[in-house]
Amino acid sequence: MVKIGKINLKNPVMVASGTFGYAEEFEGLIDLKKLGAIVTKTITLDPKQGNPMPRICETASGMLNAIGLQNKGVDNFIEEKLPYLSKIGVPVIVSVSGDCADEFCELAKRLDREKHVDGIELNLSCPNIKARGLIAQDKEATYETVKSVREKTGKTLIAKLSPNVTDIVEIAEAACEAGADSVSLINTLIGMAIDVETGKPKLGNITGGLSGPCIKPIALRMVWEVAKNIDKPVIGMGGIMTAQDAVEFLIAGAKAVQIGTASFIDPGISGKIIKGVEKWTKTK
Ligand SMILES: Cc1cc2nc3c(=O)[nH]c(=O)nc-3n(C[C@H](O)[C@H](O)[C@H](O)COP(=O)(O)O)c2cc1C
């Protein structure tokens, strides 16, 4: 049993935002009830069209994505996605994003009324929205955003951090001081790829977020740095493909992990990682 804020998880393995849709897409491919928690794809207040195509491309040991937070908005989520999620019997953590603190607050207010929402993950770190930098790159903006959302909800609040910073510890500290119950890290690293035949970027958005095994050593280092400096639970992610990878994050100080890109290769991978982590826990 793992505790993140007020949420009790039966195991430390969750699925990461944006890589598992709203869970319904994975029905029949994995036993959803076995998951520690489900983190939904990020939703915003109003619907978003997302970035121009192409939105993903493969790289050495990873992938780049520039989806641009395409989603149908919070009202649609509550009406059409939450009823399915609430029947699974696993904690539901809703990932939210906004262009300003007011948007985050409005999302938190709406979700606070929903009894089947167990937690809110603040996506302060999406590299693809066209704003002035990222909230998660600025400790004051992180503090202000988390603090204003904290005033609107008693639900478990997780601040998701960006690795595209010089010092991730100071951002994690700002989020915790502002009232976050937990921090999750890392989101993707900003990168790009070029097609040498056309001379054009491989992504319509030019740059995108790098994920997968290539980012694991960076993610692990950041989780270790944050975990030894804050006293709130850390949720680690970034390139976890196997149970051994997940265990490395737990040893580095994470209380739980999230599985992202790996679900695109094997939609049932989280179930296998849960079993592997259980086995490791018993033998160690
Ligand atoms: C296609 C794709 C879409 C993603 N969408 C979101 C998103 O909507 N919100 C979010 O917070 N993170 C999003 N992420 C980031 C992942 O949740 C995760 O932080 C990152 O991919 C690192 O983990 P991984 O290497 O295991 O994939 C996305 C990642 C990918 C690959």
Side-chain angles (χ1 to χ4, degrees):
M1 183 78 98
V2 180
K3 201 165 166 72
I4 306 286
K6 295 179 187 160
I7 310 176
N8 289 314
L9 289 85
K10 54 180 173 286
N11 66 66
V13 182
M14 317 179 184
V15 285
S17 179
T19 62
F20 209 75
Y22 303 97
E24 199 166 359
E25 298 87 335
F26 282 71
E27 190 181 80
L29 298 171
I30 178 168
D31 188 353
L32 295 168
K33 298 189 295 301
K34 295 263 164 74
L35 295 170
I38 293 168
V39 185
T40 69
K41 159 134 197 72
T42 298
I43 57 162
T44 50
L45 205 50
D46 299 314
K48 268 194 189 292
Q49 297 294 319
N51 285 327
M53 306 281 177
R55 291 173 169 181
I56 55 169
C57 84
E58 201 167 333
T59 61
S61 255
M63 66 182 277
L64 283 167
N65 89 83
I67 311 294
L69 298 186
Q70 182 186 351
N71 78 101
K72 292 185 176 169
V74 64
D75 292 335
N76 177 274
F77 171 78
I78 291 170
E79 271 162 44
E80 292 192 7
K81 308 293 181 193
L82 193 55
Y84 180 87
L85 283 158
S86 65
K87 287 194 199 104
I88 299 170
V90 159
V92 175
I93 298 170
V94 182
S95 169
V96 299
S97 184
D99 290 338
C100 58
D102 285 352
E103 276 185 31
F104 276 98
C105 286
E106 186 57 33
L107 283 156
K109 246 167 69 186
R110 304 244 192 128
L111 294 170
D112 192 61
R113 295 181 211 135
E114 301 299 324
K115 73 171 195 266
H116 294 296
V117 171
D118 297 283
I120 298 174
E121 185 178 77
L122 302 175
N123 178 1
L124 304 169
S125 43
C126 180
N128 303 317
I129 44 175
K130 296 211 170 59
R132 285 173 283 123
L134 315 175
I135 294 171
Q137 285 175 324
D138 180 321
K139 65 179 176 186
E140 275 88 33
T142 299
Y143 180 87
E144 290 308 326
T145 307
V146 175
K147 191 164 189 308
S148 48
V149 173
R150 178 74 290 172
E151 285 160 10
K152 299 282 181 286
T153 179
K155 305 245 189 222
T156 296
L157 203 55
I158 303 164
K160 184 166 178 180
L161 307 182
S162 167
N164 302 298
V165 292
T166 308
D167 180 3
I168 196 149
V169 175
E170 66 171 25
I171 312 284
E173 285 170 343
C176 293
E177 275 164 32
D181 297 299
S182 167
V183 292
S184 58
L185 60 148
I186 59 174
N187 208 319
T188 52
L189 285 136
I190 302 169
M192 69 184 284
I194 293 172
D195 181 333
V196 293
E197 293 306 320
T198 63
K200 296 215 166 96
K202 288 190 180 172
L203 292 175
N205 189 55
I206 304 178
T207 62
L210 183 65
S211 66
C214 55
I215 71 168
K216 196 189 91 184
I218 300 167
L220 200 58
R221 184 265 296 176
M222 289 187 159
V223 164
W224 171 72
E225 278 181 348
V226 169
K228 68 185 164 107
N229 282 292
I230 67 166
D231 54 10
K232 303 267 174 74
V234 173
I235 303 167
M237 83 197 88
I240 299 178
M241 309 303 280
T242 63
Q244 272 137 309
D245 293 336
V247 167
E248 279 190 66
F249 278 83
L250 300 176
I251 294 172
K255 285 276 175 293
V257 293
Q258 292 182 9
I259 312 303
T261 302
S263 293
F264 294 128
I265 298 168
D266 174 1
I269 192 69
S270 297
K272 293 171 193 160
I273 292 176
I274 290 166
K275 278 197 193 134
V277 171
E278 258 165 28
K279 197 168 158 207
W280 175 81
T281 313
K282 279 181 192 146
T283 53
K284 300 285 176 184

